[in-house]
Amino acid sequence: MMPKKARDGDDTFGLLRYLYGPGKRDEHVDPRMVAAWDPFVDDPARSPAMTISDLALLMDAPVFALRGAKPSKHVYHVAVRNPPEDRLLSDEEWARVASEMMHAAGLAEKGDANGCRWVAVRHADDHIHIVATRAREDGRQPDISWDIVKMQSRARGFEVEFGLRRLTHGDGTARKWAKTGEKEKAERRGLSEPVRETLQRAVREAAAAASSEADFFARLSTSGVRVKQRIAPDGNVTGYSVAMPGDRDSEQTPVWFSGTRLAPDLSLPRVRERWSSPVATVRSARAEMWQIAEEKVRTAATQLGAEGLHQGAGDVAALGDLIVVVALVSPRLVRNQIKDAAYEFERASRAPGDRALEGQARRLYRESSQLLSQSAVSVGRSDAAAVLGFLLALVQAVEAARIWHQAQDHRAQADASGRAGRLLREAVEVTAGASAARDYRPRPKRTAAHPAAGPRKAAAPEERPMAGVVQEAIPEHARAVLADPAWPSLRARLAAVERAGEDPVDVLVTVTRQRELMSAESVAEVLTWRLDGWRRQRGTDVGASGTSPSSAAGGGTGASAASTRKAAPASRRRPPGDDQRKGPRRVR
């Protein structure tokens, strides 16, 4: 349950008319009042004796009676929404929610006959709108300090009482989401994403890879964004802002975003923390680079959070920067998965409270980041084998971060770590499949035979039963694979392998031997990922006719040896259904 406060306004009648009207972007269905400050107030949608104008006058009456100065924005508006997967609440349950929210916000506390006037309107199944006027019956203005925080806390109680999806308390670590106007502007300009998100990514990549303040601003400039520094009278740089070329407001002025407006950890003081403690940087050859970084990451994973709470917060922040850097220099065949993992882990990299600048794990992660960003890396066909061990170490590190966040009761961060870990495991299996394809030497064409059935004629493409392929290639896993929700995706990959002129039995045996399968929670999903890597390495369209294993499996994890814990399902940027990743929906 998510209470979201809208901007204060000055037109009670206009807001009520909209809520009772047909709507704009979303259709309003059966608008009706579910609760009010006075249970005997008539609903304009149900009673001919009450109009929207009459209701607005009743609510505004205490405003006109205020002693002294009246608030310029006296209309208080908050929407309370449930996620789509929650059950539908009745009007009576929403009425309770509205009353409790007004009590928590300090506008109309229980037993206070002089509280503010308010109404709750429902015009959709999943949410209500609460409208109040900021004037008490006794002629005073209400104290609504920390109102949204108090309403969020009360919402957590309703989640338990009503059996709804339990969300987390706001801890100040969420990213700054693009506003509706920014999204509409991006659509008008034909951009793939709002400018705010493009700038967030550019600044984060520059901060993660930079070794000094000068390097940070230089990387920003070369990334194609406009940079403006804020310089104090003594000559020190106290802040910065960035803008996209061509992004202007109605007055043709560039639209600047400060680092703080992009994300909590992108303010200049927080960016400076990354290089406040110098780290040793070395350059190495391509294969050696991944091996050295792998050793550092494995060591750091065992030490993450071991030195205390603040040190743990610094450790996960440095790990987040490392994943961002890895996404920039990783092989192309897994770059999308790692970029998505970096996007997911962003929330996990920000722990509530302070973070320490020292720590063994943090130092190792920073050293790995500098090594990867400064070494001469040319992504090529041989990189898949070199990066496989490093990716396994990175999975181990992300799992350590997830366990640490769970121990601190950082639920949002633990969930984000789980989603990032799943994407990295997919990258591991895709890389393993590509390595198998590179070393594969097809055997001479053969005619398959069953011991008891005599010679069997080879089937034409798409006629051979893929269930038989699985039973022949991996008999020890056949039963589990054929019952797995991800089996349709694997079957489509195997059929495409055969259409490409290769023997699906040989291919499946080859990718199975590349890495163990005993620790996989979904063998079918893991093998599907490996066949995706096989296809990318050999240039065949293995996945053309199949759906992704994530969608087919309904959220199976496919965890491998690096992690046997079940991670939360994740999709690609930007999928529906994940409240931590989605921006707040526009209030209606």
Side-chain angles (χ1 to χ4, degrees):
M1 181 175 290
M2 289 296 297
K4 182 179 182 297
K5 184 178 177 182
R7 293 180 180 179
D8 292 338
D10 58 5
D11 186 1
T12 307
F13 169 74
L15 178 56
L16 290 174
R17 182 177 59 180
Y18 169 74
L19 295 178
Y20 276 100
K24 293 181 179 179
R25 295 182 59 185
D26 298 321
E27 182 181 1
H28 293 175
V29 179
D30 187 22
R32 59 197 181 277
M33 182 190 301
V34 296
W37 81 96
D38 186 335
F40 298 104
V41 174
D42 290 330
D43 182 0
R46 299 289 188 267
S47 173
M50 177 70 72
T51 66
I52 295 176
S53 179
D54 293 336
L55 181 59
L57 287 173
L58 280 175
M59 295 181 65
D60 283 339
V63 178
F64 298 124
L66 280 176
R67 297 189 294 268
K70 297 176 176 58
S72 59
K73 303 288 186 181
H74 69 275
V75 181
Y76 185 94
H77 179 200
V78 61
V80 187
R81 188 182 304 269
N82 285 339
E85 60 269 24
D86 278 347
R87 71 173 179 87
L88 299 182
L89 301 185
S90 65
D91 285 356
E92 291 73 19
E93 288 172 324
W94 276 122
R96 274 199 60 211
V97 171
S99 177
E100 291 289 344
M101 291 299 169
M102 289 294 93
H103 171 78
L107 287 161
E109 297 181 355
K110 295 178 181 178
D112 183 2
N114 294 319
C116 297
R117 297 184 176 184
W118 59 272
V119 296
V121 178
R122 182 180 188 183
H123 55 214
D125 290 334
D126 62 349
H127 70 279
I128 59 171
H129 291 263
I130 307 175
V131 181
T133 48
R134 294 177 54 184
R136 292 171 49 85
E137 300 276 5
D138 56 9
R140 296 184 293 114
Q141 294 187 34
D143 179 11
I144 57 172
S145 56
W146 300 98
D147 53 341
I148 193 65
V149 175
K150 296 174 183 177
M151 284 189 285
Q152 292 278 5
S153 177
R154 188 64 189 93
R156 303 293 82 80
F158 277 121
E159 290 164 1
V160 175
E161 179 181 349
F162 292 156
L164 307 176
R165 177 182 176 186
R166 298 184 63 183
L167 304 180
T168 56
H169 288 284
D171 56 14
T173 63
R175 65 186 295 141
K176 306 295 183 181
W177 301 101
K179 299 178 180 178
T180 301
E182 296 171 3
K183 296 178 182 177
E184 294 174 346
K185 183 178 181 180
E187 292 176 0
R188 291 194 305 268
R189 296 180 60 194
L191 303 178
S192 60
E193 63 183 0
V195 167
R196 181 191 294 267
E197 295 186 11
T198 304
L199 293 174
Q200 281 178 342
R201 185 170 57 255
V203 174
R204 187 167 302 284
E205 290 174 355
S211 58
S212 65
E213 185 170 325
D215 188 21
F216 168 66
F217 285 117
R219 289 176 182 270
L220 272 183
S221 298
T222 56
S223 68
V225 304
R226 302 180 64 182
V227 185
K228 180 172 64 176
Q229 298 181 7
R230 185 170 65 250
I231 302 177
D234 59 2
N236 292 323
V237 179
T238 59
Y240 73 97
S241 298
V242 290
M244 286 295 295
D247 184 31
R248 297 178 178 273
D249 58 19
S250 58
E251 299 179 354
Q252 296 302 306
T253 302
V255 180
W256 295 97
F257 291 84
S258 65
T260 305
R261 287 183 61 195
L262 295 177
D265 59 337
L266 294 183
S267 65
L268 186 58
R270 276 298 177 100
V271 170
R272 282 171 171 163
E273 289 179 0
R274 289 166 163 84
W275 52 79
S276 58
S277 300
V279 297
T281 58
V282 295
R283 296 179 182 271
S284 66
R286 182 174 55 204
E288 293 177 352
M289 172 193 72
W290 292 114
Q291 184 177 1
I292 295 172
E294 175 188 347
E295 294 173 357
K296 291 179 179 293
V297 171
R298 287 193 185 278
T299 302
T302 63
Q303 300 176 357
L304 191 148
E307 298 175 274
L309 179 61
H310 296 331
Q311 284 75 13
D315 294 343
V316 295
L319 177 57
D321 283 347
L322 173 60
I323 302 175
V324 170
V325 172
V326 173
L328 297 176
V329 301
S330 58
R332 292 188 183 277
L333 85 163
V334 292
R335 190 169 297 175
N336 287 337
Q337 285 91 345
I338 300 177
K339 282 185 176 180
D340 291 345
Y343 183 90
E344 289 290 354
F345 195 79
E346 180 189 325
R347 181 70 183 274
S349 68
R350 293 191 291 267
D354 296 332
R355 62 186 187 189
L357 305 183
E358 304 294 338
Q360 179 69 5
R362 182 182 187 275
R363 181 181 62 80
L364 291 171
Y365 288 141
R366 287 295 298 163
E367 288 178 358
S368 300
S369 297
Q370 292 299 308
L371 171 65
L372 296 179
S373 63
Q374 295 185 15
S375 295
V377 180
S378 59
V379 177
R381 292 174 63 87
S382 62
D383 282 347
V387 78
L388 181 57
F390 173 81
L391 289 179
L392 287 168
L394 199 58
V395 169
Q396 179 184 350
V398 170
E399 177 65 9
R402 188 185 69 82
I403 294 173
W404 181 80
H405 279 305
Q406 280 189 333
Q408 312 306 320
D409 197 27
H410 300 161
R411 290 171 54 195
Q413 287 81 357
D415 290 345
S417 300
R419 295 191 298 271
R422 170 184 166 80
L423 287 162
L424 289 174
R425 286 194 293 273
E426 180 180 350
V428 166
E429 302 302 344
V430 169
T431 303
S435 298
R438 189 187 61 253
D439 301 330
Y440 176 67
R441 296 296 180 268
R443 295 188 296 174
K445 297 291 183 180
R446 63 186 178 87
T447 301
H450 293 284
R456 178 168 59 90
K457 182 180 179 181
E462 297 193 73
E463 293 181 4
R464 189 177 188 181
M466 292 301 130
V469 169
V470 172
Q471 291 167 348
E472 184 177 350
I474 48 173
E476 68 277 19
H477 298 291
R479 182 185 296 271
V481 168
L482 297 178
D484 197 303
W487 162 239
S489 295
L490 177 58
R491 181 178 56 204
R493 267 55 167 198
L494 291 171
V497 165
E498 189 170 50
R499 287 196 303 272
E502 297 180 328
D503 188 333
V505 174
D506 286 349
V507 172
L508 192 57
V509 169
T510 302
V511 298
T512 300
R513 290 173 177 172
Q514 187 67 19
R515 273 175 40 78
E516 60 84 30
L517 290 172
M518 297 306 297
S519 62
E521 294 183 5
S522 172
V523 174
E525 189 172 45
V526 167
L527 292 175
T528 303
W529 287 338
R530 292 186 190 177
L531 288 179
D532 284 343
W534 179 284
R535 179 258 307 175
R536 296 174 193 177
Q537 180 69 29
R538 297 179 69 83
T540 57
D541 194 11
V542 176
S545 62
T547 58
S548 70
S550 299
S551 60
T557 60
S560 57
S563 171
T564 57
R565 293 179 176 268
K566 185 173 182 180
S571 304
R572 302 305 171 87
R573 307 178 61 214
R574 282 194 140 253
D578 188 333
D579 288 316
Q580 301 301 335
R581 295 169 67 188
K582 288 168 60 177
R585 297 176 63 182
R586 187 178 182 181
V587 176
R588 295 284 175 261

